[in-house]
């Protein structure tokens, strides 16, 4: 086996077929010098009192008309004038269309409201890590506001009869949407609004309202602006946040109407007397207010807590994603206009997304991910020891946070959950105090890919490793990458492994005494200069996290079996309330 540099790409050859020249045909044209033939139905009407003439035979010859016979001469250059008129008309149409397109673009840009991602106080949003190909994932914080900041939201959300229009808002919905660096998969993680956490010191860049920091519900950070909500979620999860979008009550109504409604299923009759959602068992198309009632219902589903609401929201969003991806949804210009107009009016975004071009780019990234590889899940929680009505992150939530932060997929290419990997297999090698400049590594190629050893060795040299780093070929092909070190060189091996992202399970001590470091690249690492991240431990990452993929169209929201609602002062289950409220109209047929 040899290890030459990357072989040059083979010269592509192009085959040119020497065909027989085509014979040119001129449709409807007669030989030069002869009069064109005319059919009985295509002749132009004569003017004046010219006598009518019989149509000439298709096969017979036709005499040249005598002068003064009254036949109107065919205008010279008529064909050119027709073409010129058509060209002018087409130009006007193109200009008009371009003008409308430009107006539409500027109109949508004018709809958008954008604010900074951070308030400028330190690295409050985190930074993404690029993969071996320089690509970075996208983490988008989606916030659903409960603000009654205008008459429309007051009418939809209620509660303004006593307080009036309010100035602040909480985050009723919080989801971190992760799109992988290679755009092959995505994870959407809900954070229950009742979660108690630390809200850091931050300031609203628009209103100037600030806080010195406190311990409270995660949704309350929005009172100090979207940047504060971003900082709080980043602090809670350790996940870098690249962008955010905020949607209010009226925005949910407008967007559900713009897409023609969203299909959702409930597994039993349900009447949430708080959100006013009332649906019979089965599947319904939710539009407008009905859609808002569904995504806001927390007493109708699950155990009546915010956890049940996150599950039904996942069903709603999965259905919306499937509709976006379905044929014809985005090909109707009228539908696209209404959707774009509604979306841009309803959204507040960070300045990094503050243009139609950037939003379109984000939408295109999401569209690349198949529905079967979009996983919806909910952060694992436990009851707050100090308040049974509140939640705290469970210990297992750290695994889910790490999976997202490390850009690991919860599904494989077939859409199924990834196989569990052992904790030792994915634990990164520990840091060491040995400087890279004092370490030389022998890099051997144990793959069938030429140039692997030189590529990795160059990466080590670029990271400051010793000039004694060399390349070679392994004795044969090996399936597993290993970093062998001699006695007394373990700390050096840890430094090299850390630089390459190589898990500690791939390090082994050599039998030879006093030898340095030998890295043998196996077929588990055939590209890139950083060892590929191990598959996510799905079993641990999604334990108690209620994970489902967006392609599961037959999933129904589970109606709460508990007495979570009340009707006329009587506590009852949502199903009992549905059957008792015969005079209340259903939210959707």
């Amino acid at each position: 086996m040899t290890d030459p540099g990357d072989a040059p790409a083979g010269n592509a050859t192009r085959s040119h077929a020497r065909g027989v020249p085509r014979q040119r045909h001129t449709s409807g044209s007669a030989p030069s010098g002869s009069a064109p033939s005319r059919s009985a139905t295509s002749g132009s009407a004569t003017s004046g009192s010219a006598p009518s003439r019989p149509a000439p035979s298709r096969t017979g010859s036709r005499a040249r008309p005598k002068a003064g016979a009254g036949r109107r001469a065919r205008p010279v250059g008529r064909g050119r004038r027709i073409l010129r008129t058509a060209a002018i008309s087409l130009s006007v149409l193109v200009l008009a269309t371009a003008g409308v397109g430009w107006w539409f673009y500027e109109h949508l840009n004018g709809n958008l409201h954008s604010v900074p991602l951070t308030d400028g106080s330190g690295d409050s949003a985190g930074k993404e890590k690029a993969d071996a190909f320089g690509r970075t994932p996208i983490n988008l914080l989606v916030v659903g506001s409960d603000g009654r900041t205008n008459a429309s939201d007051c009418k939809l959300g209620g509660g303004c009869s006593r307080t009036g229009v309010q100035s602040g808002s909480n985050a009723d919905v919080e989801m971190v949407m992760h799109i992988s660096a290679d755009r092959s998969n995505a994870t959407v993680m809900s954070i229950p609004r009742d979660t108690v956490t630390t809200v850091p010191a931050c300031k609203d860049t628009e209103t100037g309202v600030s806080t010195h920091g406190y311990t409270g519900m995660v949704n309350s950070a929005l009172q100090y602006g979207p940047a504060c909500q971003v900082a709080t979620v980043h602090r809670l999860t350790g996940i870098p946040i690249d962008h955010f979008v905020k949607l209010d009550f009226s925005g949910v109504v407008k967007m559900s109407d713009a897409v023609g409604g969203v299909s959702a299923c409930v597994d039993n009759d349900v009447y949430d007397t708080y959100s006013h959602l009332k649906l019979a068992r089965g599947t319904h198309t939710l539009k407008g207010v009905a859609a808002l009632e569904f995504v806001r219902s927390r007493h109708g589903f699950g155990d009546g807590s915010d956890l049940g609401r996150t599950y039904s929201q996942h069903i709603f969003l999965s259905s919306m994603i499937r509709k976006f991806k379905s044929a014809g949804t985005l090909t109707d210009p009228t539908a696209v206009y209404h959707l774009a107009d509604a979306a841009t009016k309803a959204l507040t975004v960070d300045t990094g997304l503050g243009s139609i071009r950037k939003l379109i780019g984000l939408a295109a990234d999401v569209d690349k991910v198949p529905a079967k590889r979009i996983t919806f899940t909910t952060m694992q929680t436990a009851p707050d020891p100090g308040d049974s009505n509140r939640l705290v992150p469970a210990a297992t939530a750290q695994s889910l946070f790490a999976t997202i932060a490390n850009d690991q997929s919860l599904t494989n290419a077939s859409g199924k959950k990834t196989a569990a990997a052992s904790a030792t297999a994915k634990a990164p090698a520990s840091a060491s105090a040995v400087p890279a400049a004092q370490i030389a590594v022998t890099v051997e190629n144990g793959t069938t890919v030429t140039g692997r050893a030189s590529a990795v060795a160059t990466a080590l040299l670029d990271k400051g490793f010793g000039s004694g780093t060399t390349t070679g070929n392994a004795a044969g092909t090996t399936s597993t990458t290993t970093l062998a070190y001699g006695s007394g060189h373990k700390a050096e091996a840890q430094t090299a492994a850390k630089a390459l992202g190589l898990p500690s399970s791939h390090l082994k001590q050599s039998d030879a005494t006093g030898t340095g470091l030998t890295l043998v690249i196996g077929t588990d690492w055939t590209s890139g200069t950083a060892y590929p991240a191990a598959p996510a431990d799905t079993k641990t990452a999604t334990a108690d996290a209620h994970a489902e993929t967006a392609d599961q169209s037959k999933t129904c929201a589970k109606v709460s079996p508990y007495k979570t609602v009340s009707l006329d002062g009587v506590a009852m289950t949502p199903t009992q309330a549905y059957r008792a409220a015969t005079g209340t109209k259903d939210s959707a047929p």
Side-chain angles (χ1 to χ4, degrees), residues 540-557:
T540 301
T542 60
D544 302 319
H546 196 269
E548 293 182 345
T549 50
D551 62 327
Q552 297 179 21
S553 59
K554 296 181 180 180
T555 302
C556 293

Side-chain angles (χ1 to χ4, degrees), residues 11 23 59 163 193 234 257 279 290 308 370 412 480:
N11 294 325
Q23 184 176 1
T59 57
T163 62
R193 72 167 193 173
H234 173 58
D257 281 344
L279 295 172
N412 57 29
T480 305

Side-chain angles (χ1 to χ4, degrees), residues 15 20 23 71 80 90 122 153 220 246 273 308 321 339 353 386 416 455 584:
S15 174
V20 178
Q23 184 176 1
R71 182 184 181 198
R80 291 182 195 168
L90 181 60
D153 284 338
S220 66
K246 180 169 76 75
T273 56
I321 287 172
L339 176 60
L353 285 179
K416 296 181 180 179
T584 302

Side-chain angles (χ1 to χ4, degrees), residues 495-518:
T495 296
K498 180 177 174 60
L500 296 169
L502 189 67
S504 57
S505 58
H506 291 251
L507 275 63
K508 66 177 184 178
Q509 185 170 348
S510 172
D511 294 333
T513 304
T515 57
L517 309 185
T518 300

Side-chain angles (χ1 to χ4, degrees), residues 519-541:
L519 174 68
V520 178
I521 304 172
T523 56
D524 57 345
W525 187 12
T526 55
S527 64
T529 56
Y531 189 77
D537 184 351
T538 304
K539 186 175 181 180
T540 301

Side-chain angles (χ1 to χ4, degrees), residues 124-462:
S124 56
K127 295 253 190 304
E128 296 288 2
K129 299 175 184 176
D131 68 4
F133 300 95
R135 303 169 299 188
T136 54
I138 299 172
N139 288 316
L140 174 75
L141 178 62
V142 181
V143 174
S145 166
D146 72 350
R148 279 80 165 173
T149 56
N150 55 59
S152 176
D153 284 338
C154 273
K155 182 178 179 181
L156 291 167
C160 294
S161 58
R162 178 172 50 85
T163 62
V165 175
Q166 304 164 28
S167 58
S169 59
N170 294 314
D172 244 10
V173 177
E174 288 183 83
M175 297 180 181
V176 175
M177 182 173 191
H178 169 80
I179 307 168
S180 67
D182 63 3
R183 306 302 186 257
S184 69
N185 64 88
T187 300
V188 182
M189 179 186 70
S190 288
I191 302 174
R193 72 167 193 173
D194 296 334
T195 303
V196 175
T197 189
T198 300
V199 177
C202 47
K203 182 178 181 178
D204 190 329
T205 55
E206 289 194 305
T207 66
V209 176
S210 63
T211 176
H212 294 296
Y214 60 92
T215 298
M217 287 172 58
V218 67
N219 69 332
S220 66
L222 190 60
Q223 296 178 15
Y224 304 98
C228 190
Q229 194 67 64
V230 166
T232 302
V233 170
H234 173 58
R235 181 175 182 136
L236 170 66
T237 64
I239 299 169
I241 304 298
D242 308 295
H243 300 290
F244 74 81
V245 297
K246 180 169 76 75
L247 193 67
D248 56 18
F249 290 153
S250 57
V252 175
V253 171
K254 290 175 183 175
M255 290 191 67
S256 61
D257 281 344
V259 298
V262 177
S263 177
C265 171
V266 292
D267 73 346
N268 208 339
D269 298 337
V270 57
Y271 181 28
D272 181 348
T273 56
Y274 297 95
S275 76
H276 308 295
L277 176 71
K278 187 169 187 278
L279 295 172
R281 177 182 178 180
T283 302
H284 307 270
T285 299
L286 304 178
K287 297 181 180 181
V289 175
L292 179 64
E293 292 171 349
F294 186 88
V295 298
R296 290 193 67 211
S297 177
R298 63 177 292 166
H299 298 89
F301 304 114
D303 60 0
S305 72
D306 199 50
L307 292 175
R309 174 162 60 179
T310 65
Y311 306 158
S312 59
Q313 288 169 352
H314 295 166
I315 291 172
F316 183 90
L317 291 173
S318 294
S319 179
M320 181 175 280
I321 287 172
R322 291 193 300 272
K323 186 157 191 178
F324 280 148
K325 289 179 174 290
S326 65
T329 301
L330 297 179
T331 57
D332 180 356
T334 303
V336 169
Y337 169 78
H338 287 304
L339 176 60
D341 195 43
T344 51
K345 285 179 179 176
L347 296 177
T348 296
V349 300
D350 68 282
T351 49
L353 285 179
S355 73
I356 295 304
R357 179 180 60 82
K358 292 175 181 177
L359 281 176
I360 289 173
L362 175 63
D365 283 329
V366 175
D367 192 51
K368 292 174 185 175
V369 184
K372 66 183 180 181
R373 299 208 68 191
I374 300 176
T375 303
F376 283 90
T377 188
T378 300
M379 182 191 83
Q380 299 95 326
T381 57
D384 183 356
D387 186 346
S388 60
N389 293 318
R390 298 290 178 260
L391 303 168
V392 292
T396 49
Q398 296 304 319
S399 178
L400 180 57
F401 297 160
T403 296
I404 296 173
N406 293 329
D407 194 24
Q408 293 174 306
S409 175
L410 294 178
T411 60
N412 57 29
S414 67
K416 296 181 180 179
K417 291 182 179 180
T418 52
S422 68
T424 55
K426 58 189 184 65
S430 59
S432 116
V434 181
Q438 299 178 14
I439 305 172
V441 183
T442 299
V443 184
E444 297 182 353
N445 187 2
T447 76
T448 58
V449 180
T450 58
R452 289 298 296 138
S454 58
V456 174
T458 299
L460 286 170
L461 291 170
D462 290 343

